[in-house]
Amino acid sequence: SPSEKALGGFWSKFDAPRRIVSKLHEILRPFLLRRVKADVLKGVLPPKKEIVVYAAMTPLQKTYEALILQHQLKDTLQSSGIPCTGKEVSENNMLMNQRKNANHPFLFGEPTTPTGEFVGEANPKTLINASGKFRLLDRLLVRLKEGGHKVLLFSQMTELLNIIEDYVRSKKWGVFRIDGGVELSERQRQIDAFNAEGQSSNNHFIFLLSTRAGGLGINLASADTVVLFDSDWNPHQDSQAMDRAHRIGQTKPVVVYRLLTTGSVEISMM
């Protein structure tokens, strides 16, 4: 038919480039060898297991989700006395607002007590109970600490790392942290200190990291547990984050916990 002929003519324009690429592959194949860790380190690298753990939204998160869909979140927060600007609540980026809400509603601004103190400082339990993921994280970290594990916790959002750090310090646990604002010398100092401490150390059993900070140079193989608090759009970034612990020098099986909020945009992202 005429349409089929037209379509054939369209694809014929790509025949020459396709033949060139195929020929290049034939020429280069004898000289290139692609190997992955599973091939190179057979019997050397311990296994890695990823577990997806689902957290339910809290009532506060469900309220925020409805306000986001109605484009009323910013006005409602401001009328409630919670200071928020376009930085915290983007009127044009509903997806980002939904992702923030799935992690912690205080990313839009933290309420204060009548005395002007942030509610999370006045009562750390409020910080935990505002987010389904934090409720889950609280139970998970307590159990991991009791089991003598060392944990790497990753997030894409610096503001979220601030909230997580507040939570960790409220538990009187020591914490290391690397994000885009940490100098290289300070990064290495923290890495060395974390790796030097024993597996069952009560001082610093958790290391907070930005998912995209550091490249491949960060070696934290003394940790045997990875928590992906929020997932990256690019799966390779999350895989690279896991490899901070699952790499040469690791002697224990590595468990990766990926946290997802049910009924949120995170499910669609996955």
Side-chain angles (χ1 to χ4, degrees):
S1 68
S3 61
E4 289 175 338
K5 290 180 180 178
L7 190 59
F10 172 79
W11 285 114
S12 66
K13 293 188 294 185
F14 297 97
D15 285 343
R18 201 157 45 216
R19 285 196 299 270
I20 293 172
V21 171
S22 298
K23 189 64 177 177
L24 283 172
H25 283 175
E26 292 177 13
I27 295 171
L28 293 173
R29 190 172 291 115
F31 304 100
L32 296 178
L33 176 63
R34 181 178 183 272
R35 300 185 296 174
V36 295
K37 285 189 301 184
D39 300 325
V40 180
L41 299 174
K42 279 184 178 177
V44 177
L45 198 62
K48 177 183 70 176
K49 178 168 66 174
E50 180 178 340
I51 302 173
V52 179
V53 191
Y54 296 93
M57 280 192 182
T58 63
L60 180 61
Q61 285 175 299
K62 291 178 180 178
T63 299
Y64 277 25
E65 178 74 8
L67 291 171
I68 290 169
L69 295 175
Q70 297 165 12
H71 298 280
Q72 296 178 357
L73 179 61
K74 185 175 181 180
D75 292 340
T76 302
L77 292 178
Q78 289 178 338
S79 63
S80 302
I82 299 176
C84 62
T85 63
K87 180 181 178 182
E88 288 85 16
V89 185
S90 172
E91 298 287 3
N92 300 319
N93 195 341
M94 182 186 294
L95 180 62
M96 178 55 73
N97 290 340
Q98 288 177 305
R99 290 181 62 197
K100 285 183 175 182
N101 184 51
N103 288 318
H104 202 293
F106 286 4
L107 287 170
F108 300 112
E110 186 174 349
T112 56
T113 65
T115 61
E117 187 179 12
F118 287 116
V119 294
E121 295 177 358
N123 183 3
K125 269 293 183 184
T126 307
L127 195 71
I128 298 170
N129 290 330
S131 165
K133 280 189 181 181
F134 268 67
R135 289 178 175 179
L136 181 61
L137 183 70
D138 184 49
R139 298 195 302 271
L140 180 63
L141 289 182
V142 169
R143 184 174 298 180
L144 289 171
K145 183 177 184 299
E146 290 174 350
H149 298 277
K150 298 185 75 172
V151 181
L152 309 182
L153 191 152
F154 290 90
S155 173
Q156 297 179 64
M157 304 179 185
T158 304
E159 297 88 351
L160 182 57
L161 288 177
N162 293 339
I163 299 176
I164 297 172
E165 186 173 355
D166 288 343
Y167 155 75
V168 173
R169 294 192 184 282
S170 75
K171 303 288 283 189
K172 308 301 182 185
W173 297 333
V175 60
F176 289 121
R177 171 174 171 172
I178 289 179
D179 57 40
V182 178
E183 295 290 336
L184 288 175
S185 58
E186 175 60 16
R187 292 185 184 198
Q188 194 58 49
R189 185 197 69 78
Q190 293 189 55
I191 291 170
D192 293 342
F194 183 80
N195 287 332
E197 292 188 356
Q199 182 82 4
S200 59
S201 170
N202 291 323
N203 295 326
H204 298 88
F205 85 103
I206 183 168
F207 207 128
L208 306 182
L209 300 105
S210 171
T211 306
R212 296 180 179 236
L216 290 168
I218 297 179
N219 186 343
L220 293 165
S222 62
D224 62 352
T225 306
V226 176
V227 177
L228 299 177
F229 197 90
D230 50 291
S231 302
D232 197 289
W233 282 106
N234 182 354
H236 177 70
Q237 297 295 338
D238 288 340
S239 296
Q240 195 177 76
M242 300 176 197
D243 289 344
R244 305 285 189 259
H246 192 246
R247 60 189 299 157
I248 296 173
Q250 180 57 260
T251 59
K252 295 178 177 291
V254 174
V255 179
V256 180
Y257 296 97
R258 185 188 298 272
L259 308 189
L260 293 178
T261 300
T262 57
S264 75
V265 71
E266 289 187 325
I267 305 301
S268 300
M269 284 180 62
M270 277 296 292

